[in-house]
Amino acid sequence: MDGWTDPRAAMGTLPQYPHAHQDELVSAAGRGMASVAAAVLADRLDSFDADRNSDGRQYFVLKDSQGESATVWVDAVPLVRGTLADTATNTTSQHYVIRVSDRLPTRMLHRVLAHELGELMAVRERAASGLVPVREDFLREGAQLSAQRELSAPDRGRIGELNWLAARTTAPDLTAEQQLAARAEFSALLDTCGIRPTAEMGDEEAFKDQERAARARQQASADYLSVGSRRLFDTLAHPIEALPPADATALRAARDAAVRAERQVEAFIGRREITMPMPGYDQNGLPLPRDQLEPAAERWAQYREQVSERTVGALEGQLAAGQFPLRKVVIGGGASLTGRDPEALLVDAAGRWHLDPGNGIVQSADQDRDLAQWMGVDPYAAVEDPRHRVSIHAVRVWEDQLATQGDVVNGRARLRLGLGGELLAEIRPSGPDGQESGTPLWVACDGTPSIATGLTPDAVPGMPRGATGVESRSEAVRLIGDRLRELEGQAVPGARELRAWLTLAERGGADARTVLGALESSALKGALMDGLDEETGARLDNCFTALDSTGKWETAREAAPGRALLGDEVAENRFDPRAAQHWIIAGSGGTGVANAEIILRKNPDAYVTIIGNAPPDALRHQVQYPEMLERYTTGENPRLTIGRTEVGAVETYQHENGETWFQADYVIEATGERRTARAGGYVCSLGRTNPLPPALQVLADEVRDRGGEISGDLQFDRDDQYIGYGLTFTVDGREHRVDVDGAASWQLPREIFAPKTRVQAALNEMGQRGLPSETGNAAPGFSPIARQSALRARAVAEAAAGDPDAVRRLSTVPERWQRPDLTRPSTVTSTAPAPAPAPVAMSATAPTAVTPAVETETETETEAAAAPGTQADTPAEPTAQPTPEPTAQPEPETSAQPAPEASEGRGAPAAPAAPAAPAPGISGSHLWQMGVHRGGAGRPNAPDRQEQQPPPPGHEPPEPGVGLDD
């Protein structure tokens, strides 16, 4: 539910409450949710029960008159400005999470919940019939009626509000003044819904048109109105001239207040430019038909390759002419392309979703319905049923359309230091065959580069876990190196030499067995452990375990080439599924399950055994996992087995055919039966490591080699929404900032954010609270990252426009994201539906003329409203960054052609021409587009357009009379 009709909500100026207000809102929801459900659903509600789960969160189970159940969770969390509440809809497992803004005054809560519950039921009912949501709102003011005369989910939310307000007009526990206030709010909402003509009766033509439209809207709403709402309709759904005097006075005041609020909101929004075309639509502004998605994806991939070739050619031309390109640089793509700056040079290898051989992302269109708001796409257009997974072809079309809105290079890049300390991007383009160019391109970074290279690398089997765990070979080498530096400071002989050798071995790619052998045979082995406290000693000992496990993994890969794989190799289709007929997948999380599905689909003769801990709860709330269990674990010849075990280092044995095979012991949880899996293939999907993104690892080495330092911070926008983390590289008296966005931003590099600080743990808890497992989603997922990157684009644009609080750099997660106390006894009990409303809800639209004796604000609300400037976390002052002046190329490893030196005349270098717009330039109203600069001021002049380049791929619209869902 948005709050654009309330200027405080629209402009982000709702009161700021103490953290305890979240608990107050959740408790109030517990006390009043039964009454809200009874009012909203009326005779369509059979029963309503409330309870708490093991972690203290309250939930509600409602059963409708058809005997179908749904579970509803309510929490109060930070939301973006302009949003009073939103609901994550999971029609797969019938779990729904309502998130209300923690800045919502308690007196407004129950009306907001009524709206969300109405929307929730609409999504649920249409999904049960296999129907996608209605795209256009029908209940809106004016004479114009949409062609599809059905109610949208927001329409049903408004009816929920009407039913709630109607119940309050006769609630026996309210005063007469409070009942009149509810009646006035009900009347004002009829205007918003277009159920009453607002034109003067004297304006005959306009009045008749509006009256005809209002009658149609009344008829469409009739089936969902409560008895009380129908009664009020008979009295209030008339022109203002025909209303009783008291009702007419109240409505007139409400209309005057609504006009004032609308002017405030328009003045606020009017400063923001909205011009980004929406991906996934044809030239007529219609979503691409499902049967056209696969060929459209192929055409867009070809077009992207053409844009890449032209961009590379232009950069090569500048370098050959002695001009050093100075560009904004973005490395990485995926869902983070929602925040794509068309003026930035995008370097992206088109990985993950372009390579994934699976059916699509693991969430349904219902679970990812907010993609329409944040990415500007319609996920429902890509599915036959709203409960189905979003097509991989649709994802590829969306990403390629966004990528080609500016200059793009298909390839990889890493940041480097120039000889003068400036920040450069070393770019290696790749061709259609995926082969990278041997000659890099060099670009000087203008401003703060952004990195969004996706999920971090897989962990190998056998890594030590727990408080003193070590997650990777690189972390083990780094921690041992830190210990050797301490010994060097103590003048221990040989410490400096061993540390230097260790550094060179790691950067040179020496195998883990060589590294471990050198350490084990060193005379310093004992000194490394001497004098350490118990925790530090345990961690250092685990470094040797990590190296040993990595060595066993490297040995297995050498002995069974193509059959010992990391999960990403399967996810990116870099393997042969027929290399083995039986595969062991180590890891029972989402990645392991996705890899199992890929193997089972691509090799119809394959058998898969997944081993690991109990699958996470989120899996059963997704579409993919239940479908896999049904398809592959049942029948006469089940091809999928899932077992429980603690996965250690990889185990191999010599098969009778002479090959190296794999084995693992496990237990069938349902029966307790112990088994041993023996397979020719092994896939490691045990989770992610937390290193620096690959694009930054060489830069980090160069900074440290020059005696510099690296520090990090978390970044939040002014609404306390997480938008990634930032790193500051300080070297030779200069600072270079780099921002990390996308899925990678949820895996903080442990060398910068040490585990003992618990920053990663706090970030994980925040992600879990914002997207509980019941949603079937997770913070690094496709749709959540699209949202995060959209918010990031807005925040960065506002910061560039001079707002010092637009991007807040903090040392940890804001207090608002910490879960409030949930240990106290529950205040909710199982209850039958009864029309006893909770305390009065203030209108989220316009105030009325009635001055009721409304329930007094709580003391915390009054204090917060009086001090709107208070906030738990004060943002750090932004640090001015000097513009880099590239003087010469760095000293990288030898390449075919050295990078050219910068030219003094590089101030206005030529740049590739902006490609022709692949979409018709449809203006959307999505929040992420607000404030994003689209002008060309300061951008280098573009060369003449190359006429031989074909225009972007088009799409033939469907024949007349053929609907989008036919």
Side-chain angles (χ1 to χ4, degrees):
M1 178 182 184
D2 65 40
W4 294 115
T5 50
D6 185 332
R8 297 180 308 162
M11 296 182 286
T13 56
L14 283 171
Q16 298 184 34
Y17 296 100
H19 186 235
H21 184 63
Q22 295 183 0
D23 194 29
E24 180 181 333
L25 286 169
V26 173
S27 297
R31 294 191 300 271
M33 195 66 173
S35 299
V36 172
V40 171
L41 302 180
D43 57 1
R44 291 180 294 116
L45 178 65
D46 179 66
S47 64
F48 188 92
D49 299 297
D51 203 347
R52 289 185 184 270
N53 65 355
S54 58
D55 63 7
R57 291 181 298 146
Q58 65 180 357
Y59 63 91
F60 313 95
V61 180
L62 63 86
K63 182 179 292 185
D64 60 28
S65 56
Q66 304 300 315
E68 300 295 330
S69 297
T71 304
V72 182
W73 310 76
V74 178
D75 199 2
V77 298
L79 296 179
V80 299
R81 75 199 80 162
T83 302
L84 303 180
D86 66 18
T87 298
T89 58
N90 189 343
T91 52
T92 298
S93 61
Q94 290 300 317
H95 285 72
Y96 303 84
V97 180
I98 298 176
R99 298 165 293 204
V100 300
S101 171
D102 64 350
R103 291 180 175 174
L104 183 72
T106 307
R107 64 186 181 278
M108 297 173 63
L109 173 65
H110 295 107
R111 177 171 171 178
V112 168
L113 290 176
H115 181 103
E116 294 303 309
L117 191 57
E119 280 205 31
L120 178 161
M121 294 302 294
V123 173
R124 179 172 174 267
E125 290 165 10
R126 291 189 68 85
S129 300
L131 301 174
V132 301
V134 178
R135 291 188 175 94
E136 293 186 57
D137 293 347
F138 191 59
L139 301 184
R140 56 185 179 186
E141 189 174 356
Q144 188 69 33
L145 293 175
S146 61
Q148 193 174 9
R149 298 193 177 191
E150 296 183 81
L151 299 184
S152 67
D155 288 337
R156 292 281 299 277
R158 296 180 190 104
I159 291 178
E161 292 183 66
L162 289 170
N163 288 347
W164 166 248
L165 291 169
R168 294 180 58 74
T169 63
T170 57
D173 60 336
L174 297 184
T175 66
E177 290 82 4
Q178 290 172 332
Q179 292 175 350
L180 284 175
R183 180 185 179 96
E185 292 181 27
F186 183 101
S187 181
L189 190 53
L190 294 180
D191 273 7
T192 305
C193 294
I195 294 175
R196 169 202 290 128
T198 57
E200 295 183 4
M201 295 181 70
D203 186 352
E204 187 172 344
E205 183 177 355
F207 178 82
K208 285 185 177 180
D209 288 343
Q210 290 188 14
E211 186 179 40
R212 183 166 50 252
R215 195 176 301 117
R217 295 185 181 107
Q218 290 182 38
Q219 293 172 353
S221 306
D223 290 343
Y224 305 103
L225 293 172
S226 65
V227 173
S229 290
R230 295 191 190 103
R231 186 187 67 251
L232 283 177
F233 261 55
D234 292 340
T235 304
L236 298 176
H238 302 292
I240 192 170
E241 295 89 340
L243 292 179
D247 291 321
T249 300
L251 180 58
R252 194 171 290 110
R255 287 178 176 178
D256 290 343
V259 169
R260 291 194 299 271
E262 185 177 0
R263 287 173 180 168
Q264 292 182 54
V265 173
E266 286 179 348
F268 178 72
I269 297 178
R271 299 194 301 268
R272 302 168 183 270
E273 191 176 356
I274 304 175
T275 58
M276 177 72 81
M278 295 185 291
Y281 289 73
D282 65 17
Q283 286 87 342
N284 297 310
L286 299 175
L288 296 175
R290 287 187 298 275
D291 60 357
Q292 293 296 316
L293 288 172
E294 185 170 3
E298 294 176 359
R299 292 194 301 270
W300 276 102
Q302 293 169 2
Y303 177 68
R304 174 172 171 156
E305 182 63 33
Q306 293 169 357
V307 176
S308 174
E309 290 174 357
R310 190 176 67 179
T311 303
V312 168
L315 293 174
E316 289 175 337
Q318 289 179 257
L319 292 166
Q323 296 176 331
F324 207 110
L326 176 64
R327 300 296 302 273
K328 298 179 184 176
V329 174
V330 175
I331 304 174
S336 67
L337 288 170
T338 52
R340 164 78 157 113
D341 181 352
E343 295 187 6
L345 172 64
L346 171 68
V347 184
D348 178 32
R352 190 62 181 101
W353 298 115
H354 286 76
L355 303 175
D356 193 315
N359 287 339
I361 56 181
V362 298
Q363 285 80 29
S364 68
D366 275 338
Q367 290 169 323
D368 281 344
R369 66 178 185 145
D370 59 352
L371 278 172
Q373 177 182 5
W374 301 111
M375 190 176 251
V377 301
D378 183 359
Y380 292 104
V383 296
E384 294 182 4
D385 187 294
R387 295 163 294 187
H388 290 176
R389 293 161 64 180
V390 177
S391 162
I392 195 73
H393 303 300
V395 173
R396 291 169 181 167
V397 169
W398 300 340
E399 290 188 1
D400 285 346
Q401 285 186 321
L402 289 168
T404 53
Q405 287 178 355
D407 300 334
V408 60
V409 174
N410 289 344
R412 302 183 187 277
R414 57 184 182 179
L415 299 182
R416 305 288 304 272
L417 286 178
L419 296 181
E422 65 279 1
L423 193 60
L424 306 178
E426 178 191 13
I427 303 170
R428 293 188 180 271
S430 57
D433 59 357
Q435 294 297 313
E436 291 186 358
S437 169
T439 304
L441 302 172
W442 295 94
V443 173
C445 297
D446 184 9
T448 302
S450 179
I451 309 295
T453 46
L455 296 171
T456 53
D458 294 289
V460 304
M463 288 294 121
R465 306 295 180 92
T468 58
V470 177
E471 64 174 20
S472 66
R473 160 210 169 121
S474 61
E475 183 178 23
V477 170
R478 176 174 58 81
L479 292 174
I480 293 172
D482 290 344
R483 175 57 177 159
L484 287 170
R485 183 181 288 106
E486 292 177 3
L487 296 178
E488 181 183 343
Q490 299 169 13
V492 174
R496 178 180 180 181
E497 290 75 13
L498 182 56
R499 185 170 69 86
W501 179 89
L502 195 62
T503 300
L504 290 174
E506 181 66 11
R507 294 183 187 178
D511 59 77
R513 292 158 294 181
T514 300
V515 173
L516 181 61
L519 291 170
E520 292 282 8
S521 62
S522 170
L524 293 174
K525 173 71 184 295
L528 285 170
M529 306 297 297
D530 289 344
L532 299 177
D533 59 61
E534 183 177 354
E535 179 179 343
T536 306
R539 178 171 286 109
L540 200 62
D541 187 57
N542 280 335
C543 290
F544 287 85
T545 302
L547 289 171
D548 180 60
S549 295
T550 304
K552 291 177 180 177
W553 177 247
E554 291 171 350
T555 299
R557 284 173 68 88
E558 292 173 3
R563 293 185 288 112
L565 305 169
L566 293 172
D568 283 343
E569 293 176 284
V570 175
E572 296 177 1
N573 206 21
R574 293 183 281 122
F575 82 115
D576 177 6
R578 295 184 179 275
Q581 296 305 98
H582 187 182
W583 294 81
I584 294 172
I585 294 185
S588 54
T591 303
V593 167
N595 290 335
E597 181 191 50
I598 291 170
I599 291 173
L600 291 167
R601 283 184 65 247
K602 292 180 74 67
N603 182 354
D605 300 321
Y607 291 82
V608 172
T609 301
I610 298 177
I611 58 171
N613 296 322
D617 287 341
L619 283 181
R620 63 189 178 91
H621 298 294
Q622 294 176 350
V623 183
Q624 180 187 48
Y625 188 60
E627 285 182 349
M628 279 185 60
L629 295 181
E630 167 123 19
R631 181 172 182 180
Y632 295 116
T633 64
T634 60
E636 296 181 359
N637 185 29
R639 297 169 55 207
L640 174 64
T641 302
I642 301 177
R644 295 281 300 275
T645 190
E646 288 290 334
V647 179
V650 64
E651 295 182 39
T652 61
Y653 71 98
Q654 204 71 16
H655 190 263
E656 59 187 16
N657 65 6
E659 294 180 339
T660 295
W661 277 38
F662 307 90
Q663 64 182 16
D665 296 330
Y666 65 95
V667 175
I668 299 294
E669 187 172 25
T671 63
E673 178 187 357
R674 296 183 177 275
R675 297 183 183 178
T676 299
R678 294 182 174 86
Y682 186 103
V683 180
C684 180
S685 302
L686 288 167
R688 302 286 170 176
T689 57
N690 292 45
L692 283 166
L696 296 177
Q697 289 173 356
V698 174
L699 174 64
D701 290 341
E702 293 174 341
V703 168
R704 290 182 174 126
D705 289 347
R706 297 191 189 187
E709 296 180 348
I710 309 172
S711 60
D713 50 54
L714 304 185
Q715 296 182 343
F716 292 83
D717 68 9
R718 66 185 314 117
D719 300 317
D720 283 330
Q721 305 299 303
Y722 180 63
I723 57 176
Y725 68 83
L727 298 173
T728 301
F729 296 83
T730 305
V731 60
D732 298 333
R734 303 178 66 170
E735 285 189 352
H736 298 297
R737 283 199 60 85
V738 178
D739 292 341
V740 179
D741 184 19
S745 68
W746 288 87
Q747 300 289 129
L748 304 177
R750 285 159 67 107
E751 61 188 278
I752 310 298
F753 302 88
K756 64 181 179 182
T757 65
R758 286 193 50 79
V759 177
Q760 180 69 68
L763 190 66
N764 293 344
E765 291 165 4
M766 181 190 71
Q768 176 64 22
R769 187 177 180 198
L771 283 169
S773 60
E774 292 82 11
T775 66
N777 234 314
F782 186 85
S783 181
I785 289 303
R787 175 186 181 275
Q788 173 182 310
S789 299
L791 292 175
R792 175 177 182 76
R794 183 180 73 169
V796 169
E798 290 175 344
D803 185 347
D805 297 326
V807 178
R808 305 169 59 226
R809 299 184 175 96
L810 308 178
S811 60
T812 190
V813 172
E815 183 188 17
R816 292 173 68 193
W817 280 107
Q818 296 175 14
R819 191 177 296 281
D821 181 18
L822 297 173
T823 58
R824 59 200 184 97
S826 172
T827 58
V828 293
T829 56
S830 298
T831 175
V840 64
M842 189 182 83
S843 172
T845 55
T848 67
V850 179
T851 309
V854 183
E855 189 175 23
T856 306
E857 288 186 345
T858 63
E859 183 178 352
T860 57
E861 285 180 354
T862 306
E863 291 175 353
T870 58
Q871 196 150 344
D873 297 282
T874 303
E877 290 293 326
T879 303
Q881 300 181 46
T883 302
E885 294 291 336
T887 57
Q889 74 275 15
E891 299 177 302
E893 55 273 4
T894 303
S895 59
Q897 290 182 339
E901 293 188 357
S903 168
E904 293 182 0
R906 64 165 177 80
I922 306 162
S923 294
S925 58
H926 315 294
L927 186 61
W928 74 273
Q929 297 166 9
M930 296 181 178
V932 178
H933 177 62
R934 302 295 171 198
R939 187 179 183 186
N941 295 327
D944 293 335
R945 181 177 298 278
Q946 300 178 22
E947 296 299 336
Q948 69 272 20
Q949 178 171 314
H955 170 70
E956 295 298 323
E959 293 294 327
V962 179
L964 290 175
D965 299 313
D966 293 340

